[in-house]
Amino acid sequence: MAKKVVYNNESITMLKGPDKVRKRPGVIFGSDGLDGCAHSIFEIISNSIDEARSGYGSKIVVTRYQDCSVEVEDFGRGCPVDFNKNENRYNWELVYCELYAGGKYDASDDNYAYSLGLNGLGLCATQFASEYMDVEVIRDGFQYNLHFEKGENVGGLSKKAAKKRQTGTKTRWKPDLDVFTEINVPDEYYRDVLKRQAVVNPNLLFVYRKEEPNGSFTESQYLYENGISDYVQELAGDTALTSIQYWNCQREGKDREDKPTYKVKLSVALTFSNRVQQIEYYHNSSWLEHGGSPDRAVRTAFVSQINGWLKTKGLYKKNESAITFADVQDCLVLVSSSFSTRTSYENQTKKAITNKFVAQAMTEFLKHQIEVYFIEHPDEAEKACKQVLINKQSREHAEKARITIKKTMTQQMDLANRVQKFVDCRTKDATRRELYIV
């Protein structure tokens, strides 16, 4: 018989301090595995990106060391770490040791109007999940240094006169194997993340330094002067059927009548190709791996406008089915980068957004732009729409062939599986052969 466990008022406990993250890293980072560790690294990089996008600093240096430690250096204003009179505490305590503390909660403050980091979780959570973390901040003529171990500060705040005028924040830390099951984040992850961030942050230089086994460093740089337009050109190469289109706009609206109004910036670069297909969505610089609102907008707008064009030109056969987004997707190269002052992410990993107004505004914007584009570029409209129609017809023919093959093979299998007395008999002896006519 199982031993009875006492369950009373004293059975309820609460995680405190670093244990809020160290014992449940998956809640913040999505998992306690390699993906979660990688996301913790991105949390630090995203703070530097927010600073640069606010107009402070044009370069971010990320260094990956052999021992799996990471260093991120930016050249912004430097994180405020000194005494905060309003909170009656030092800012370093709030920023590095308190979840839900930060400088990005005021939506009316244009300093971080369109930020990657909104929740005040990432920096503190990454510190809690580290074996150690060293921070160097230069601002207001001073150099500040902090050291943390296993989520706890060691030695308080060091403050001295700065020897250089360049402001900024440099953070080096090592993810803790007591928190994550694996911390050896591959080189490809850094390259992929920094390239994507260069795409959606025009003229922001990302420098990636990798320590080699012999102690030397190899360096790569990522910079897209024209952002998503250059990236679409790179993706399509010489396979593009149409010219590169870049559309942008700004809108204001709300997700519900009783919700506050917020601002949205929308940018889309695209082309059509019969060899390459790629669609990527970004919001506030975060790659939306699962899409959400922008994906719904793109699906609705492109199917609606291309379907309308095909109907107007009478290119559908009698009783022919309409195109689907799968047919559009097969020849579309599109990158969307949107920003909003209020963002509803599905979770802290920020792989999809759910803003209703973003979906609505982007749908209307894309429908209008596609309509104008088709009118102003009739030759390109014909190439794109006819390619979509070809994709649809090819898909349907392939599906019919698949069904026919499946049916034939099923019949053969059924025949082979019949009971013995119904199996066909064959012989070369003519005297033993019979013909039955039913």
Side-chain angles (χ1 to χ4, degrees):
M1 183 176 179
K3 183 180 178 180
K4 290 186 177 180
V5 178
V6 176
Y7 184 64
N8 54 28
N9 287 326
E10 283 65 45
S11 300
I12 306 301
T13 61
M14 179 180 70
L15 293 176
K16 300 177 180 65
D19 283 347
K20 292 178 180 178
V21 175
R22 295 180 67 83
K23 291 190 175 182
R24 295 292 185 272
V27 175
I28 301 294
F29 302 122
S31 84
D32 63 354
L34 197 60
D35 287 345
C37 182
H39 186 75
S40 74
I41 293 169
F42 183 66
E43 291 286 0
I44 304 298
I45 298 173
S46 67
N47 283 335
S48 296
I49 293 171
D50 285 342
E51 184 72 356
R53 288 191 51 251
S54 297
Y56 302 97
S58 58
K59 181 171 76 170
I60 296 172
V61 182
V62 178
T63 305
R64 176 181 183 263
Y65 292 93
Q66 278 288 306
D67 66 350
C68 297
S69 63
V70 187
E71 183 178 271
V72 176
E73 181 178 12
D74 66 49
F75 304 91
R77 292 165 291 183
C79 179
V81 291
D82 221 325
F83 194 74
N84 185 329
K85 294 179 180 178
N86 291 334
E87 297 291 339
N88 199 32
R89 293 177 67 183
Y90 279 91
N91 276 322
W92 69 262
E93 295 178 287
L94 299 174
V95 173
Y96 291 96
C97 302
E98 292 286 349
L99 297 172
Y100 297 102
K104 305 173 186 177
Y105 288 121
D106 186 356
S108 64
D109 183 1
D110 287 337
N111 278 341
Y112 292 105
Y114 303 97
S115 293
L116 249 174
L118 297 171
N119 300 325
L121 291 172
L123 185 55
C124 174
T126 301
Q127 190 281 110
F128 281 167
S130 64
E131 181 180 322
Y132 70 84
M133 177 178 282
D134 289 304
V135 182
E136 178 184 288
V137 174
I138 298 178
R139 64 171 291 143
D140 304 326
F142 294 98
Q143 177 180 313
Y144 301 89
N145 290 90
L146 290 160
H147 178 69
F148 301 90
E149 294 179 5
K150 302 283 187 179
E152 301 286 355
N153 175 251
V154 178
L157 177 67
S158 169
K159 178 181 178 181
K160 62 183 180 181
K163 294 182 179 179
K164 56 183 180 180
R165 297 180 62 185
Q166 177 63 62
T167 59
T169 303
K170 181 163 62 176
T171 307
R172 180 172 177 175
W173 78 102
K174 184 178 179 181
D176 199 342
L177 274 170
D178 290 341
V179 177
F180 301 106
T181 58
E182 192 175 352
I183 63 171
N184 189 17
V185 178
D187 180 59
E188 292 75 19
Y189 170 80
Y190 292 90
R191 296 183 184 278
D192 181 64
V193 164
L194 297 183
K195 179 177 180 177
R196 289 182 185 279
Q197 291 307 312
V199 165
V200 293
N201 292 284
N203 286 314
L204 177 55
L205 173 63
F206 289 86
V207 179
Y208 174 54
R209 300 173 68 243
K210 176 190 175 185
E211 185 181 25
E212 301 295 343
N214 63 4
S216 64
F217 289 86
T218 55
E219 186 175 293
S220 303
Q221 297 187 356
Y222 302 93
L223 176 70
Y224 286 82
E225 292 184 5
N226 298 308
I228 60 176
S229 293
D230 287 349
Y231 184 46
V232 167
Q233 180 65 67
E234 177 185 301
L235 290 172
D238 57 1
T239 70
L241 291 172
T242 61
S243 59
I244 306 295
Q245 296 296 307
Y246 175 76
W247 307 327
N248 63 5
C249 74
Q250 294 190 40
R251 298 285 188 269
E252 288 189 12
K254 56 183 69 176
D255 292 329
R256 207 172 62 195
E257 280 304 314
D258 59 335
K259 294 289 185 178
T261 299
Y262 61 91
K263 300 175 184 177
V264 176
K265 291 181 180 179
L266 302 171
S267 300
V268 176
L270 66 100
T271 187
F272 290 88
S273 168
N274 57 8
R275 296 184 188 176
V276 179
Q277 70 95 359
Q278 183 83 17
I279 300 176
E280 295 180 11
Y281 305 109
Y282 297 84
H283 189 79
N284 287 6
S285 293
S286 184
W287 176 40
L288 303 179
E289 186 177 352
H290 303 147
S293 298
D295 183 59
R296 290 194 295 274
V298 167
R299 287 173 178 271
T300 302
F302 275 86
V303 170
S304 172
Q305 297 303 85
I306 294 176
N307 185 52
W309 190 93
L310 292 171
K311 285 182 176 179
T312 301
K313 299 298 181 180
L315 295 181
Y316 280 128
K317 299 175 183 176
K318 186 177 180 180
N319 299 324
E320 184 176 4
S321 62
I323 61 165
T324 67
F325 185 69
D327 308 315
V328 179
Q329 189 174 7
D330 273 349
C331 60
L332 181 62
V333 181
L334 179 146
V335 179
S336 159
S337 178
S338 55
F339 296 89
S340 65
T341 52
R342 287 182 177 272
T343 303
S344 298
Y345 290 106
E346 282 193 349
N347 51 43
Q348 178 64 14
T349 57
K350 301 172 183 174
K351 294 184 177 181
I353 64 170
T354 59
N355 295 59
K356 289 184 179 180
F357 177 68
V358 171
Q360 175 189 335
M362 191 168 178
T363 301
E364 294 173 356
F365 167 66
L366 285 175
K367 281 185 175 182
H368 172 73
Q369 290 298 137
I370 295 169
E371 181 180 3
V372 172
Y373 169 56
F374 283 178
I375 293 172
E376 294 181 349
H377 301 83
D379 292 343
E380 293 192 3
E382 183 175 1
K383 287 181 182 178
C385 294
K386 283 187 174 180
Q387 183 61 52
V388 172
L389 187 59
I390 290 171
N391 293 344
K392 182 195 81 77
Q393 293 168 346
S394 299
R395 173 178 58 81
E396 290 175 342
H397 289 157
E399 179 64 15
K400 287 179 181 177
R402 186 189 70 84
I403 292 173
T404 300
I405 293 172
K406 181 180 178 181
K407 185 177 180 181
T408 301
M409 295 182 71
T410 300
Q411 289 173 342
Q412 292 173 349
M413 186 179 298
D414 289 344
L415 185 63
N417 289 336
R418 288 177 181 174
V419 293
Q420 191 64 34
K421 64 180 180 180
F422 292 116
V423 174
D424 289 346
C425 299
R426 296 182 180 181
T427 179
K428 292 182 179 180
D429 185 354
T431 63
R432 300 180 61 190
R433 291 198 301 234
E434 294 179 307
L435 174 65
Y436 289 89
I437 300 176
V438 181

